[in-house]
Amino acid sequence: MSSILYVFSQPPHGSINAQEGLDALLMGSAFTTCSVLFVGQGLMQLIEGQSTDELGTKNFSLGFGALKDYGVNRIACSKPDLVASGLNSDDFVIDVEPLDAAGMQLLIRDHDKVLNF
Amino acid sequence: MNFAIVVHGAPYSSEACLSALNFAKAVLASGHSINRVFFYHDGAYTANNLIAPPQDETPVGEQWQAFGIGNNIELIACIASCLRRGILDETEADRYEKSGSNIAPGFTISGLGQLIDASINADRVVTFGV
């Protein structure tokens, strides 16, 4: 069965894209082998300690804690984007594997389909 | 080759919706097939039958309807995306006690599983509007 890589590139609360991307990832992992790659501003989805109380939006970042339970295979991020954004993988709500350009290329190649969010 | 097409952009506010339609037409014209078109995020607005664009602008929704019905291709709008955006079929309008339904002909409201199923079974998945 086809494996699916989800690429998350949007920041968390300015639009609903990130939240609906997570929904699609959780749904996908119930059907087939799925992995996720965070790139660009998508890395911000993972920052620990987000509070949306004053925004009135849903704090869906708590949902990332379920990825392992849903059997999501690899959870990776762009190392260059991590460095460029001044973040560290310790800042994230879950363990994420930072990948250089070659690593990301391999990850994409290892999957049959890529869905962008 | 069999394609799954995913549309994330709303008609008129994003060019993605029309690009996806043009791409879908080109897929068929080239002798390939499409297993499903899935409308997610703001793409769900494409299924809104109440859109009334100015006469000198492309009727994007109507063209999608004609494409889906004319070629017997499933046009699926994500239920979660639709409910958030006020696009309802009769069942959902009844369930949530809303004043009416507005799903366009040729479109079906269904779950995210349809996106995954289309992705798994297609040779290629092409997403518009991310």
Side-chain angles (χ1 to χ4, degrees):
Chain A
M1 190 176 273
S2 287
S3 55
I4 305 177
L5 174 67
Y6 290 71
V7 178
F8 289 171
S9 62
Q10 306 289 315
H13 306 296
S15 80
I16 201 169
N17 282 43
Q19 186 185 331
E20 290 190 329
L22 176 61
D23 290 343
L25 170 59
L26 295 177
M27 176 61 76
S29 55
F31 282 81
T32 189
T33 306
C34 294
S35 297
V36 58
L37 172 65
F38 293 86
V39 300
Q41 295 199 22
L43 291 170
M44 293 180 182
Q45 296 179 29
L46 292 167
I47 295 173
E48 192 160 30
Q50 293 178 45
S51 166
T52 58
D53 292 350
E54 305 217 350
L55 271 179
T57 57
K58 183 173 172 179
N59 187 7
F60 66 92
S61 70
L62 302 170
F64 288 118
L67 294 187
K68 280 286 170 204
D69 294 333
Y70 274 76
V72 173
N73 191 28
R74 288 177 68 186
I75 302 169
C77 75
S78 158
K79 199 172 184 177
D81 292 342
L82 189 66
V83 174
S85 55
L87 292 167
N88 186 303
S89 42
D90 296 341
D91 299 327
F92 294 154
V93 288
I94 45 169
D95 288 338
V96 178
E97 169 193 6
L99 297 175
D100 59 15
M104 288 190 277
Q105 218 168 47
L106 276 177
L107 182 66
I108 292 168
R109 271 200 207 150
D110 276 348
H111 290 78
D112 298 308
K113 308 285 162 47
V114 176
L115 292 177
N116 291 293
F117 290 94
Chain B
M1 197 173 275
N2 193 249
F3 286 79
I5 296 176
V6 188
V7 183
H8 286 201
Y12 306 107
S13 55
S14 162
E15 181 258 346
C17 188
L18 202 48
S19 288
L21 177 61
N22 290 332
F23 179 80
K25 287 176 179 170
V27 164
L28 297 188
S30 310
H32 300 295
S33 57
I34 296 170
N35 69 2
R36 183 172 296 146
V37 185
F38 191 83
F39 296 83
Y40 198 36
H41 297 305
D42 285 352
Y45 283 123
T46 318
N48 182 356
N49 204 28
L50 297 180
I51 290 178
Q55 287 195 343
D56 61 347
E57 293 183 20
T58 308
V60 182
E62 283 175 28
Q63 290 198 357
W64 266 115
Q65 293 162 33
F67 177 80
I69 294 167
N71 297 294
N72 202 21
I73 288 171
E74 274 189 320
L75 308 178
I76 304 287
C78 169
I79 188 165
S81 298
C82 281
L83 292 177
R84 283 191 183 107
R85 291 167 177 82
I87 296 145
L88 306 171
D89 59 15
E90 299 230 344
T91 310
E92 299 308 320
D94 285 347
R95 191 197 315 273
Y96 294 98
E97 298 179 354
K98 298 296 181 186
S99 57
S101 62
N102 59 342
I103 185 82
F107 282 83
T108 307
I109 293 181
S110 188
L112 262 177
Q114 301 280 345
L115 167 66
I116 310 304
D117 176 69
S119 303
I120 288 171
N121 292 309
D123 297 311
R124 295 284 186 277
V125 185
V126 186
T127 305
F128 290 83
V130 181

